[in-house]
C-alpha cells in the first residue's frame, strides 16, 4: 500500500453525529427504549456493613402492576466482577448480582420491577428488611489486616496473580524497583518525603447509567446500554447469570458521557436478571442520587513520595508507595494503582526507583475507572514533590524539569522498559511558558486589595492503550454505489472516535469522508474491540483501520485489474479509478468495480483487520495555571490556564482541543471543588449537585490549548492518544500556583477557601 494522503487527517472535520445531536434526534438509550419496558429499581442498604437476616416481600408483590420482587434468594450464585476489562480480568470475582451481605450504604438488597415507576416506588416502601448490622471498615489506612473482613466468603477468587488476599482485605498488592534506592537516597543532598491524598471523585457525566433489555424471537438476551465496553458487558452478564455468551447480545447507542464510569457494568445486570426471570423487556435508569452513592468513582489514594536530588537539581531516586481504597468491591482496583507509579516516575529518568502499593477493601461504594485511571493521583504527588524540591533548592521549576526530562531514544525502566520513540515534552513546556508569559509572572504578583496571583506548573504522561492486551478491529466493505461501510467495535462516547476513524479511512482510500458510513457497536455484528478506555481508540483501532483499508485497496486493485484484463502488479488505485500504470487512460471506475463485485464474482470486496501493540507510547502534556487568591477570604480563582500537548499527529484538531479543554476543567474541579465526605456510619454526604460542586461556566478560566506534535512511528499517521493525559496537569499546577501566591503547600485535595484561611492563620 502506498503512503496515504492526508486530506482529512489533521483537519477539523465535523463529527459524524453532530446534526443528530443538535437537532434533538432520539439517539440515547432511554430515547429508544420500548414503551412497554418494566421499570426496574433497587432497594438499597442503609448500612455500610450488614447481613440480611430476613426480608419480607409479600406486600410489595401484591402492589398492582408489580411483575417481580427479587432478593438474594432469586439471584444466581455465580461470582463475577463488574469491571470492563479483558479476560482474565485482573479485578477479583467478588460479587453476586444480589448478595445477602451488603457492603456499603447503597448496596443492593432487592430489585423490584413493575409496569410504572409509581408502582415500583410504592412496592419498595412495603419491603420489610431486618438487618444484622456488622462493624464496617471505614478507614482505608487501617483496612489491611483488619480483624473485620469485607469479603470473608470462601468462594471469592482472583483470576490473576495481583497480590490479592480477601482474608487480609487486600484487593491487590505488589511492587517493583530498579537500582539500590536506599543507597542512592543516602547519597543525595536533598531527600524530600511527602504524602498526598486524593479523594473518590465522581465522573458526573450528563447521562446517568441506563440500560434496557429484552428477549428476542430466538430466546436470546438483548441488552441496549450506555456503556464504553459492549463486548466486556456481554461476558460480564453471561458470567453473572450463568449462561453462555452466545445467548447475550449487547448494543451501544449514543452515550451521553462516560469518562471511565461506564467501563464498569453498573446498571446492566439488574434489568437483565428481570428479563431472564419474567421474559419481559425491562429498563433501569439511575437517578443522579444513585449515580453519586452507588456507582464507580475514582479510587481514593494516599501516595507517599520520597525523592532524592543533588543540590543542582538532578533527580536521582524516586520512591513511591500508594495506598488505594477500592471500596466494597474490587473493580479496577489492581490496575488503577499501577498507573500511579508507572505514569509518574518515568518522566524524570531517576537512576533508581521503587514503586510499591496496596489496594484495600473498605465498606464504601466500589471505586472504578475515571479518566486518568490512577495516573492523576500519582502525578499530583510526584509533580508536587518536584515543585516543592525546586523551591527548597532555589531552582526555577522549569529548569529543574529541563535537566531531568526523559528524551527520545531512551528506555524507561519504570514504564515497562519501553523505548521512547516520540517525545516533545520539553517543547510542550516551552510552549506553555510562552503562552502564560511565565518569565514575567513567576512566582507571584501582588495585585493590591489583599489579592495575590501566583503561577504553577505540572507535567503529565499517560499511555496509548494497554500494551500487549488491547485489541481494536475494523471491518470495511465496498458498497454498491462506490461508498464504504465501516463496522467498528470501538465505542464513541462523545469523543468523536467514529469521526476520526472515518477520517483515517478516507485518507487511506482516497475518498471523501462522507463516503465512509460508520456503524457503531453491536456485539452480534461488529468486529471485536476491547472498548473505549485506556486511551486506546486512536492508537489501537486507528491502526486496525489503516490495515483494513490497505487490505481492501489491494482487493479493489485485484478486481479492477481483472476487469481490465491485466496483472494486479500493473494496476493501481487513486480512490476513484483502478488504472493501468503507464497507461492511465485504461481505467475502470470504483462504481463499476462495486457493481461487478455483485455479479459473477468470487472476490469479496471486504476486509477485516485487528491490531494490538506490544507497546503503549505515552503522550505528554505541560499545563500552567495562574491563580488569584484573596488573602482575606481564601477564595481561589483560576485566572489563566495554558497547556501544550504532544499526542503525536493530531487527527482532528477541533476534537482534540475539546478533549483537552474538557479534561483540564475536570482537573480544576478535582483540585478546587469536588469533595467527598462520609458520616461516621459510612453514608456519603455529597450525594447531589447541591453538595457535590463541579466547575460552572463562570469558573472556567481563560483556557488555551496548543499542540506540539511529535511523530509516533508505531501509530496511525504518527498519532498517539489524548483522552486521559489532559486531566492530569491541573492538580499539581494549581497547587503549585496556590503555594506561590500564599506560601502554603496543600497535600490533600480539594484546596478550599477554608483550608487557605486556616493555613494563613498558622503562618501568622
Amino acid at each position: 500500500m502506498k503512503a496515504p494522503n492526508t486530506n482529512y487527517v489533521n483537519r477539523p472535520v465535523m463529527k459524524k453525529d453532530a446534526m443528530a445531536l443538535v437537532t434533538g434526534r432520539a439517539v440515547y438509550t432511554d430515547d429508544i427504549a420500548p414503551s412497554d419496558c418494566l421499570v426496574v429499581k433497587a432497594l438499597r442498604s442503609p448500612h455500610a456493613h450488614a447481613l440480611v437476616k430476613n426480608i419480607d416481600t409479600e406486600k410489595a408483590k401484591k402492589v398492582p402492576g408489580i411483575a417481580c420482587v427479587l432478593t438474594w434468594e432469586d439471584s444466581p450464585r455465580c461470582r463475577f466482577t463488574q469491571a470492563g476489562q479483558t479476560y482474565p480480568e485482573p479485578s477479583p470475582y467478588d460479587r453476586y448480582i444480589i448478595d445477602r451481605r451488603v457492603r456499603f450504604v447503597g448496596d443492593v438488597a432487592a430489585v423490584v420491577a413493575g409496569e410504572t415507576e409509581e408502582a415500583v416506588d410504592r412496592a419498595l416502601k412495603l419491603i420489610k428488611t431486618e438487618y444484622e448490622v456488622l462493624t464496617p471498615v471505614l478507614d482505608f489506612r487501617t483496612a489491611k489486616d483488619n480483624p473485620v473482613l469485607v469479603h470473608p466468603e470462601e468462594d471469592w477468587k482472583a483470576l490473576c496473580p495481583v497480590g490479592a488476599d480477601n482474608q487480609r482485605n487486600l484487593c491487590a498488592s505488589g511492587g517493583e524497583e530498579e537500582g539500590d534506592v536506599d543507597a542512592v537516597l543516602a547519597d543525595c543532598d536533598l531527600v524530600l518525603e511527602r504524602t498526598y491524598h486524593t479523594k473518590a471523585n465522581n465522573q458526573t457525566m450528563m447521562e446517568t447509567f441506563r440500560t434496557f433489555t429484552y428477549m428476542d424471537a430466538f430466546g436470546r438476551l438483548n441488552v441496549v446500554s450506555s456503556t464504553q465496553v459492549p463486548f466486556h458487558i456481554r461476558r460480564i452478564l453471561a458470567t453473572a447469570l450463568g449462561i453462555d455468551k452466545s445467548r447475550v447480545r449487547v448494543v451501544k447507542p449514543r452515550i451521553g458521557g462516560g469518562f471511565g464510569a461506564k467501563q464498569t457494568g453498573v446498571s446492566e445486570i439488574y434489568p437483565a436478571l428481570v428479563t431472564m426471570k419474567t421474559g419481559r423487556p425491562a429498563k433501569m435508569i439511575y437517578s443522579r442520587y444513585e449515580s453519586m452513592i452507588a456507582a464507580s468513582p475514582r479510587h481514593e489514594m494516599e501516595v507517599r513520595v520520597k525523592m532524592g536530588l543533588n543540590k543542582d537539581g538532578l533527580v536521582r531516586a524516586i520512591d513511591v508507595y500508594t495506598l488505594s481504597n477500592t471500596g466494597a468491591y474490587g473493580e479496577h482496583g489492581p490496575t488503577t494503582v499501577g498507573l500511579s507509579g508507572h505514569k509518574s516516575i518515568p518522566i524524570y529518568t531517576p537512576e533508581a526507583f521503587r514503586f510499591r502499593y496496596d489496594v484495600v477493601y473498605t465498606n464504601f461504594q466500589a471505586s472504578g475507572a475515571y479518566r486518568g485511571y490512577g495516573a492523576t493521583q500519582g502525578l499530583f504527588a510526584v509533580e508536587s514533590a518536584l515543585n516543592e524540591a525546586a523551591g527548597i533548592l532555589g531552582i526555577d521549576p522549569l529548569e529543574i524539569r529541563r535537566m531531568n526530562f526523559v528524551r527520545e531514544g531512551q528506555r524507561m525502566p519504570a514504564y515497562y522498559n519501553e523505548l521512547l520513540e516520540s517525545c516533545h515534552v520539553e517543547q510542550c513546556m516551552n510552549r506553555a511558558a510562552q503562552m502564560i508569559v511565565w518569565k514575567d509572572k513567576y512566582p507571584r504578583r501582588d495585585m493590591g486589595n489583599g489579592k495575590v496571583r501566583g503561577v504553577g506548573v505540572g507535567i503529565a504522561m499517560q499511555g496509548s492503550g494497554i500494551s500487549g492486551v488491547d485489541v481494536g478491529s475494523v471491518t470495511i466493505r465496498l458498497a454498491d454505489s462506490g461508498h464504504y461501510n465501516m463496522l467498528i467495535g470501538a465505542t464513541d462516547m462523545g469523543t468523536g472516535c467514529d469521526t476520526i476513524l472515518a477520517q483515517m479511512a478516507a485518507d487511506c482510500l482516497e475518498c471523501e469522508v462522507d463516503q465512509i458510513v460508520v456503524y457503531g457497536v453491536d456485539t452480534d455484528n461488529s468486529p471485536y474491540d476491547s472498548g473505549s478506555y485506556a486511551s486506546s481508540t486512536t492508537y489501537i483501532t486507528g491502526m486496525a483501520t489503516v490495515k483494513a483499508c490497505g487490505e481492501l485497496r489491494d482487493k479493489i486493485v485485484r478486481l479492477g485489474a481483472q476487469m481490465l484484463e491485466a496483472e494486479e502488479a500493473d494496476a493501481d488505485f487513486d480512490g476513484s479509478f483502478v488504472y493501468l500504470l503507464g497507461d492511465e487512460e485504461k481505467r475502470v471506475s470504483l462504481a463499476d468495480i462495486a457493481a461487478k463485485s455483485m455479479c459473477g464474482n468470487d472476490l469479496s470486496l471486504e476486509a477485516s483487520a485487528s491490531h494490538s501493540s506490544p507497546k503503549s507510547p505515552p503522550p505528554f502534556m505541560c499545563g500552567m495555571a495562574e491563580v488569584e487568591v484573596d488573602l482575606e477570604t481564601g477564595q481561589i480563582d483560576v485566572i489563566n490556564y495554558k497547556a501544550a500537548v504532544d499526542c503525536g499527529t493530531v487527527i482532528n484538531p477541533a476534537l482534540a482541543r475539546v478533549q483537552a479543554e474538557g479534561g483540564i476543567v475536570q482537573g480544576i474541579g478535582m483540585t478546587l471543588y469536588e469533595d467527598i465526605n462520609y458520616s461516621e456510619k459510612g453514608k456519603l454526604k455529597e450525594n447531589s449537585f447541591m453538595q457535590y460542586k463541579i466547575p460552572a461556566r463562570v469558573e472556567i478560566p481563560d483556557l488555551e490549548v496548543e499542540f506540539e506534535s511529535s511523530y509516533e512511528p508505531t501509530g496511525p499517521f504518527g498519532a498517539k492518544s489524548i483522552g486521559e493525559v489532559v486531566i492530569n496537569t491541573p492538580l499539581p499546577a494549581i497547587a503549585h500556583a496556590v503555594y506561590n501566591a500564599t506560601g502554603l503547600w496543600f497535600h490533600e485535595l480539594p484546596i478550599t477557601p477554608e483550608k487557605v484561611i486556616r493555613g494563613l492563620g498558622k503562618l501568622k
Side-chain angles (χ1 to χ4, degrees), residues 219-230:
R220 299 174 71 227
L221 176 66
N222 284 245
V223 180
V224 181
S225 188
S226 182
T227 177
Q228 298 172 221
V229 285

Side-chain angles (χ1 to χ4, degrees), residues 382-599:
V382 172
E383 285 293 294
S384 293
L386 185 61
N387 282 332
E388 195 163 346
I392 294 171
L393 294 171
I395 303 174
D396 186 295
L398 306 192
E399 294 308 313
I400 202 171
R401 286 172 167 80
R402 206 180 310 280
M403 71 176 71
N404 287 292
F405 274 142
V406 66
R407 288 177 167 81
E408 287 183 7
Q410 290 184 314
R411 288 205 175 269
M412 298 177 286
Y415 188 65
Y416 321 111
N417 206 38
E418 278 196 14
L419 176 67
L420 185 60
E421 298 184 82
S422 61
C423 176
H424 278 189
V425 62
E426 186 172 0
Q427 292 91 325
C428 287
M429 186 179 72
N430 294 339
R431 183 75 169 273
Q434 292 173 354
M435 293 161 67
I436 207 166
V437 197
W438 178 272
K439 62 184 178 62
D440 293 340
K441 296 178 179 179
Y442 175 76
R444 71 197 296 269
R445 295 180 295 159
D446 191 330
M447 309 305 292
N449 296 322
K451 295 184 178 181
V452 180
R453 291 188 180 184
V455 291
V457 61
I459 302 290
M461 62 175 273
Q462 197 78 31
S464 300
I466 304 173
S467 57
V469 174
D470 283 348
V471 174
S473 302
V474 168
T475 296
I476 189 162
R477 62 174 69 107
L478 181 64
D480 54 358
S481 71
H483 69 278
Y484 300 93
N485 293 329
M486 187 163 76
L487 285 70
I488 63 174
T491 304
D492 193 329
M493 54 179 169
T495 55
C497 74
D498 289 0
T499 306
I500 64 170
L501 295 175
Q503 288 178 248
M504 295 185 204
D507 278 354
C508 290
L509 294 166
E510 299 181 73
C511 67
E512 300 295 320
V513 73
D514 289 340
Q515 288 181 258
I516 308 294
V517 180
V518 182
Y519 292 86
V521 190
D522 177 338
T523 57
D524 274 6
N525 300 311
S526 303
Y528 175 81
D529 194 285
S530 301
S532 292
Y533 61 89
S535 303
S536 62
T537 304
T538 299
Y539 179 72
I540 297 292
T541 311
M543 278 304 298
T545 300
V546 172
K547 290 162 70 172
C549 290
E551 292 178 18
L552 181 56
R553 280 185 69 103
D554 290 343
K555 290 185 175 184
I556 290 170
V557 171
R558 193 178 312 156
L559 184 54
Q562 291 176 14
M563 295 171 69
L564 292 169
E565 299 181 340
E567 295 295 324
E568 182 180 346
D570 296 329
D572 203 351
F573 177 52
D574 65 7
S576 299
F577 297 91
V578 170
Y579 58 90
L580 293 186
L581 297 171
D583 188 0
E584 296 185 14
E585 293 301 315
K586 291 185 177 180
R587 63 184 189 176
V588 58
S589 72
L590 185 62
D592 288 342
I593 293 171
K596 174 60 180 174
S597 72
M598 300 175 187
C599 181

Side-chain angles (χ1 to χ4, degrees), residues 280-295:
R280 297 274 308 276
K283 175 177 72 173
M284 189 170 199
I285 307 293
Y286 267 51
S287 65
R288 181 60 61 182
Y289 172 76
E290 288 177 301
S291 292
M292 300 297 286
I293 69 157

Side-chain angles (χ1 to χ4, degrees), residues 592-613:
D592 288 342
I593 293 171
K596 174 60 180 174
S597 72
M598 300 175 187
C599 181
N601 169 59
D602 59 5
L603 177 62
S604 173
L605 294 189
E606 175 179 304
S608 293
S610 293
H611 183 70
S612 187
S613 175

